[in-house]
Amino acid sequence: MKRRTAVLISGRGSNMAALLANAADPAYPAEIALVLSNRPEAPGLELAARAGVPCLVIDHKRFGPDRGAHEAVIDRALRQAGIELVCLAGYMRLLTPFLVQGWAGRMLNIHPSLLPAFPGLNTHARALAAGVKLHGCTVHLVTERIDSGPILAQAAVPVLPGDTETALTNRVLRQEHILYPLTLALVASGLPGRTDPGTALLNPLPPETRAA
Ligand code: GAR
């Protein structure tokens, strides 16, 4: 059975589009059942609507500084839609413990660096400034400390001589579009029943191949 997955976006939605494209395969273990944006003008919404995916805007501006109230509405929408997994894909809001704990082990994020290097914003410029030779992207479980949850998968790219920020951004983004669908598939196929959250996500290999 395909896992009902929501994708949360704030902008362009290219990772969301990659997830949608992969989920179109009948054999893919997750179904994108909802796309939710905190910004009504997010270009990704149009892409999702064109793909026939139910879209919802829950504009954070309506809630002023009350993050909890915003998240309560998001949480209700996710549960009403029968969502089992949540993928943050360029969702640019800090989350409170309420949403993070409510979806612990079931909420993934993609971050444009090889965590734990370069958490936060402007990762590509910072990677160039630091002179690293390898850069990349990470899919991790979301926990209360930003960009610090258990790492599920990473893809590395070289930083080439003369790289501009744009060139590096695009090189990483191409890998994001491969890594996120692969990781969601891994998680969705290992997802345990609702009564046993977490363990299979953190140990996605079959039990006989796990280290003791
Ligand atoms: C992606 O590069 C994603 O890794 C990054 O925002 C971009 C969204 O692009 N996320 C973060 O920086 C989260 N801290 P997209 O809307 O085209 O997927």
Side-chain angles (χ1 to χ4, degrees), residues 28 31 34 62 109 132 141 170 186 203 211:
Y28 194 76
E31 155 193 9
L34 180 67
R62 274 179 33 217
N109 180 45
V132 295
L141 289 173
N170 290 337
L186 184 74
N203 299 290

Side-chain angles (χ1 to χ4, degrees), residues 191-212:
L191 192 67
R194 279 164 187 269
T195 52
D196 177 25
T199 43
L201 301 188
L202 298 173
N203 299 290
L205 298 174
E208 64 274 17
T209 60
R210 275 185 218 151

